[in-house]
Amino acid sequence: MKNRMHFFIIAPLIWLAACNKKADQIKSFIPGTYTNFAKGAYAQANDTLVITLVKDNTFLITRNTTYQAIRDGRLLPKHRQVKLLNGIYDSQNQVLDETTNGRIIKFDPGKRLLKVNQAVYKKL
């Protein structure tokens, strides 16, 4: 009887510790540089996200985008854009809430990937 009681007390604590460890793995994976290349019939773009930890669960996301339109099979001149975005790590859902545009950023440390909507970025 006493052993069962210990089980019901200890099991939830072990489960919580395991969940926190996974959340900590995601959070520690977040800082870094991620790249994405996309090409369609009318344009191509290189996107780079540099994510840095600011404090606690707050992150700075620097997005560098190079865009080229394609007309008649030719690449037009490059256009560059740099945006500074803020992100808050949600440890319960293990995602980064990008607060500027309201996007949810998901991470897959095993595959070294970051996902924003349908876009997949590889961590360098």
Side-chain angles (χ1 to χ4, degrees):
M1 180 77 166
K2 195 174 187 181
N3 287 339
R4 280 188 182 180
M5 193 165 128
H6 283 125
F7 173 79
F8 287 112
I9 293 171
I10 293 173
L13 294 175
I14 292 171
W15 181 79
L16 279 173
C19 289
N20 285 337
K21 185 177 179 186
K22 184 176 180 187
D24 289 344
Q25 278 182 324
I26 299 287
K27 184 179 175 183
S28 65
F29 174 77
I30 292 174
T33 302
Y34 300 83
T35 61
N36 171 280
F37 176 77
K39 184 174 182 178
Y42 301 104
Q44 69 180 26
N46 284 304
D47 222 359
T48 302
L49 302 177
V50 178
I51 304 177
T52 53
L53 177 64
V54 176
K55 183 180 178 186
D56 299 326
N57 288 336
T58 305
F59 290 83
L60 174 65
I61 306 163
T62 305
R63 182 178 184 188
N64 295 290
T65 304
T66 302
Y67 168 89
Q68 284 184 281
I70 300 172
R71 299 294 180 263
D72 298 322
R74 290 186 8 244
L75 286 172
L76 298 183
K78 291 180 180 180
H79 296 276
R80 289 187 174 87
Q81 186 177 43
V82 177
K83 289 184 180 178
L84 298 177
L85 309 166
N86 296 307
I88 305 293
Y89 182 64
D90 177 347
S91 58
Q92 184 175 0
N93 295 310
Q94 300 172 352
V95 296
L96 191 61
D97 291 325
E98 187 265 296
T99 59
T100 309
N101 297 311
R103 294 186 178 118
I104 303 296
I105 302 173
K106 299 177 183 179
F107 298 89
D108 186 340
K111 295 180 181 176
R112 300 188 54 79
L113 298 177
L114 169 157
K115 296 177 185 178
V116 183
N117 298 329
Q118 302 301 319
V120 177
Y121 293 74
K122 293 180 182 179
K123 187 171 187 178
L124 299 180

